[in-house]
Structure formats: C-alpha cells, structure tokens
Amino acid sequence: MSHSTLFELAFYLAAPFWALLILAPGWRWTDRIAASPLPMVPVIAVYLALAVPVFPQLWAAVSHPDLAGFQELLRLDGGAGAIWAQVIAWDLFLGQWMYREARALKIHPLVMGPLLVLTVLLSPIGVLVFLALRAAVRLRARRGPRVGTP
C-alpha cells in the first residue's frame, strides 16, 4: 500500500467513530464504543505501517527534538504519514475522552457536537475550549442552584 493511501486511510478509519460521537451521542452503542480503546487500534496499525520503515529518522526526531530533525522527518512520505496517523489516533483518544466527560457532566450534545468538530480539525483549540467548559460546569455544580432560581 502506498504512503499516500495509508495517509488517507488513517483519517477514514477514524471518521466513522467521530461521526458517532458527533451525530449519534444518545445511541447506547456510541457510549460503548466511546468507552473502548479499540477504535484507535486500526489507526495505530496505519501509524506502525508508516513509522517502521522510517524508524531511524522518527527516533532521531523524537529522542533529540529540534526543528531541523522534524523537518527532515516530514520530508519523508512515511514520516509525514506517520506523524499524521499519530495525530489522528491522539485526536480520536481526546474526542472519546471529551465525549465521556461531557456525558458524565450532562453537557448537552448540541454544545458538544460543534466542539468535537473543532477538536477533529484543531484539537489543541477544541481541547482548550472543552477544558474551560468543563471547569465552568464543575464550578457551577459545586456552587449549586442560585437562590430564587427554580
């Protein structure tokens, strides 16, 4: 399989799980799937298929990180693909965690849907917004209902 195909496959393997988290949050199978590490396994397999052939360059980039080393790694088809698959797997892990946390905190799916889409596209921003929302919900729960509020 070509590097290009594997690169694309990483996203397509994760996309159905993102769709469940975003579009079917109330379905009981979504809860089961979100609680499992298994959705990440195929993406990690793609990562390994891309990372193993460039392992010396990958190891050099991560064990002694500097910009030039990462630029060299990203110039390799397998290197860029491996980093992409790693990001996809990590984003899915974060999305599953956010989904479970939101369910536990009773954050409405209409709030979480767009936030999960943001996380798919720009995970650091999505996670940061979620952490702020999570903190606000927890703070409000600790304070309890306001006096005079039904």
Side-chain angles (χ1 to χ4, degrees):
M1 205 173 287
S2 74
H3 292 131
S4 177
T5 302
L6 288 169
F7 180 92
E8 292 176 20
L9 186 59
F11 175 77
Y12 291 125
L13 289 170
F17 300 108
W18 279 108
L20 283 175
L21 298 176
I22 295 165
L23 301 174
W27 192 37
R28 68 183 172 103
W29 280 99
T30 302
D31 286 339
R32 286 182 158 176
I33 290 166
S36 171
L38 294 179
M40 290 175 283
V41 171
V43 181
I44 293 169
V46 170
Y47 165 79
L48 291 172
L50 290 162
V52 168
V54 296
F55 188 77
Q57 296 90 339
L58 178 62
W59 181 254
V62 299
S63 63
H64 302 291
D66 71 343
L67 184 57
F70 270 95
Q71 287 172 329
E72 181 181 327
L73 176 64
L74 292 174
R75 281 189 202 98
L76 304 172
D77 288 343
I83 297 300
W84 177 248
Q86 179 177 333
V87 167
I88 296 294
W90 179 248
D91 287 355
L92 184 55
F93 175 79
L94 289 170
Q96 288 178 269
W97 171 76
M98 289 168 56
Y99 170 88
R100 291 189 319 273
E101 282 286 299
R103 299 283 288 174
L105 293 170
K106 297 181 175 34
I107 298 172
H108 199 280
L110 291 177
V111 172
M112 283 307 298
L115 191 48
L116 287 168
V117 170
L118 178 61
T119 304
V120 170
L121 301 173
L122 299 166
S123 61
I125 296 170
V127 170
L128 187 61
V129 171
F130 177 73
L131 290 174
L133 174 62
R134 180 176 168 242
V137 168
R138 285 181 167 178
L139 181 63
R140 185 172 182 196
R142 275 196 301 266
R143 288 185 179 168
R146 294 183 185 176
V147 176
T149 316

